[in-house]
């Protein structure tokens, strides 16, 4: 019985330990082993007490048997036999009481130990169930972590592609600026500026270079600049061209043919420049002409110098970003 119970409890403990996750589960396992050891020690003490009681009972029984034999030998002597008989009866009753007490005590100890065994077994089963649930949760968490790691890896790859596309786009913009600047080196910085802003190349041409006051026809010097610019742009087929006309806040003279206000003036100037660019070889479908009138100044219209700065035409060169937009769209979609 002892070996069978120990083997069963030890096997249950080993089974529980197979699913213990980490140091917390190891502590629970050590606790169960300690409790099992204490239970085994208690059971062994009870069994030892029972064995001692049985030995005492056996010894008492042997004494009782000897007294019975002695009683039969002395039965013929009435006086002596009566005395011995009374003593024997008293001793017999005492031995019987002792025997009954030992039996009852042994039964009580065994009953208590059985209850303890059942309680330990129930506690062990409960803890095994808890460990099983913890193991399931751990496996589920690991699956979610693996999925998140894969998603992060996919997003990192997309981000790398996006960064590469942005770098290529920035390189293309800088190369375009360099080509445009080199083509227009002959013109004064006060009349013509080339800069990069918001990922685009801005070619800003002053009114002094392009037009006479109130006119929409480009001067020869301005035509020369636009011809050089068109020579660069016609080779850059992946670049869109927006021509923006800008004015100061001074109203045009009344009666100017074909124009009511600065909107008309800015649009007509942009349209004229767009025609010259396309005549220089730039594909018309890449060119957009627009007028901003006086509403996007680069300086306050409070003196002649600032007003001259606002009277300008900006040619905005934007590399086509179809590939970049596709990457951005792909990155906006949830990973599968």
């Amino acid at each position: 019985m002892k070996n069978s119970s120990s083997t069963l409890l030890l096997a249950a403990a080993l089974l529980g330990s197979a699913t213990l996750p980490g140091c917390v589960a190891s502590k629970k396992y050590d606790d169960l082993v300690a409790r099992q050891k204490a239970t085994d020690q208690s059971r062994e003490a009870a069994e030892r007490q029972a064995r001692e009681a049985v030995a005492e009972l056996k010894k008492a029984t042997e004494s009782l048997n000897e007294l019975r034999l002695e009683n039969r030998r002395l039965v013929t002597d009435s006086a002596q036999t009566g005395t011995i008989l009374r003593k024997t009866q008293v001793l017999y009753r005492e031995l019987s009481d002792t025997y009954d007490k030992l039996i009852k005590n042994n039964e009580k100890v065994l009953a208590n130990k059985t209850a303890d065994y059942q309680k330990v077994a129930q506690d062990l089963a409960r803890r095994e169930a808890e460990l099983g649930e913890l193991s399931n949760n751990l496996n589920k968490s690991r699956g979610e972590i693996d999925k998140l790691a894969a998603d992060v890896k996919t997003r990192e790859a997309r981000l790398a592609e996006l960064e590469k596309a942005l770098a290529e786009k920035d390189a293309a913009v800088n190369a375009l600026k360099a080509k445009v600047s080199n083509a227009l080196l002959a013109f004064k910085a006060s009349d013509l500026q080339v800069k990069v802003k918001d990922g685009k190349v801005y070619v800003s041409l002053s009114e002094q270079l392009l037009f006479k006051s109130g006119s929409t026809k480009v001067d020869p010097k301005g035509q020369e600049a636009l011809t050089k610019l068109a020579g660069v742009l016609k080779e850059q087929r992946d670049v869109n061209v927006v021509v923006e006309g800008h004015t100061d806040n001074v109203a045009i003279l009344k009666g100017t043919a074909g124009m009511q206000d600065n909107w008309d003036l800015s649009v007509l100037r942009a349209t004229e420049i767009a025609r010259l660019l396309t005549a220089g070889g730039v594909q018309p479908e890449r060119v957009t002409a627009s007028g901003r009138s006086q509403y996007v100044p680069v300086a306050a219209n409070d003196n002649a110098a600032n007003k001259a700065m606002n009277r300008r035409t900006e040619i905005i060169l934007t590399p086509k970003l179809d590939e970049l937009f596709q990457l951005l769209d792909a990155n906006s979609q949830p990973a599968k």
Side-chain angles (χ1 to χ4, degrees), residues 157-212:
R158 291 180 178 176
L159 180 60
E161 292 179 2
L162 182 59
E163 290 175 345
K164 180 181 178 182
L166 286 171
E168 291 175 351
K169 174 253 184 185
D170 289 341
V173 169
N174 291 327
L176 178 62
K177 176 182 178 295
K179 290 179 180 179
V180 171
S181 297
N182 290 334
L184 302 175
L185 283 175
F187 299 92
K188 296 179 181 179
S190 59
D191 291 336
L192 188 151
Q193 295 179 355
V194 182
K195 60 183 178 180
V196 174
K197 183 175 70 173
D198 299 330
K200 303 173 184 179
V201 177
Y202 282 73
V203 181
S204 183
L205 305 163
S206 69
E207 180 189 54
Q208 182 178 353
L209 174 64
L210 297 175
F211 303 100
K212 291 182 174 60

Side-chain angles (χ1 to χ4, degrees), residues 215-229:
S215 173
T216 61
K217 297 298 181 184
V218 179
D219 289 343
K221 190 69 173 176
Q223 291 182 19
E224 179 186 353
L226 293 173
T227 299
K228 291 181 179 294
L229 179 59

Side-chain angles (χ1 to χ4, degrees), residues 1 21-22 24 40-42 54 65 94 99 156 180 191-192 198 245 249 258 266 273 277 290-291 297 301 332 334:
M1 178 65 178
V24 174
D40 289 342
Q41 291 174 350
S42 298
V54 170
N65 290 334
E94 290 177 352
Y99 179 82
E156 287 177 346
V180 171
D191 291 336
L192 188 151
D198 299 330
N249 65 346
S266 63
I273 292 174
L277 291 175
S290 63
N301 286 294
S332 67

Side-chain angles (χ1 to χ4, degrees), residues 54-268:
V54 170
E56 290 180 7
L57 179 60
K58 182 178 180 181
K59 183 177 180 182
T61 302
E62 291 174 352
S63 297
L64 180 60
N65 290 334
E66 291 176 0
L67 288 172
R68 285 173 176 171
L69 291 174
E70 184 68 17
N71 182 60
R72 284 195 296 271
R73 286 195 302 268
L74 298 175
V75 74
T76 56
D77 187 348
S78 59
Q80 187 177 6
T81 300
T83 300
I84 294 175
L85 179 59
R86 286 190 294 273
K87 290 181 179 180
T88 301
Q89 289 174 343
V90 171
L91 181 58
Y92 180 79
R93 284 194 298 271
E94 290 177 352
L95 290 173
S96 296
D97 291 342
T98 301
Y99 179 82
D100 291 340
K101 289 179 181 179
L102 289 172
I103 292 298
K104 290 180 180 179
N105 185 60
N106 186 55
E107 290 176 350
K108 183 178 180 181
V109 170
L110 290 176
N112 290 337
K113 294 308 175 184
T114 301
D116 289 340
Y117 295 154
Q118 291 176 348
K119 183 177 180 181
V120 170
Q122 291 174 355
D123 187 54
L124 180 60
R126 179 179 61 81
R127 291 178 182 273
E128 287 178 349
E130 291 176 354
L131 289 174
E133 184 176 357
L134 287 173
S135 179
N136 290 336
N137 291 337
L138 178 61
N139 290 334
K140 182 178 179 181
S141 298
R142 285 175 177 170
E144 292 175 352
I145 290 173
D146 290 342
K147 182 178 179 181
L148 288 174
D151 182 52
V152 168
K153 187 175 181 180
T154 300
R155 290 182 180 274
E156 287 177 346
R158 291 180 178 176
L159 180 60
E161 292 179 2
L162 182 59
E163 290 175 345
K164 180 181 178 182
L166 286 171
E168 291 175 351
K169 174 253 184 185
D170 289 341
V173 169
N174 291 327
L176 178 62
K177 176 182 178 295
K179 290 179 180 179
V180 171
S181 297
N182 290 334
L184 302 175
L185 283 175
F187 299 92
K188 296 179 181 179
S190 59
D191 291 336
L192 188 151
Q193 295 179 355
V194 182
K195 60 183 178 180
V196 174
K197 183 175 70 173
D198 299 330
K200 303 173 184 179
V201 177
Y202 282 73
V203 181
S204 183
L205 305 163
S206 69
E207 180 189 54
Q208 182 178 353
L209 174 64
L210 297 175
F211 303 100
K212 291 182 174 60
S213 179
S215 173
T216 61
K217 297 298 181 184
V218 179
D219 289 343
K221 190 69 173 176
Q223 291 182 19
E224 179 186 353
L226 293 173
T227 299
K228 291 181 179 294
L229 179 59
V232 174
L233 295 180
K234 70 180 180 180
E235 303 299 331
Q236 306 295 317
R237 295 180 177 272
D238 290 331
V239 175
N240 290 323
V241 182
V242 176
V243 183
E244 285 186 352
H246 297 267
T247 69
D248 57 21
N249 65 346
V250 178
I252 64 173
L253 296 175
K254 292 183 178 180
T256 303
M259 289 182 285
Q260 297 183 17
D261 51 27
N262 284 331
W263 280 115
D264 287 335
L265 178 61
S266 63
V267 171
L268 290 173

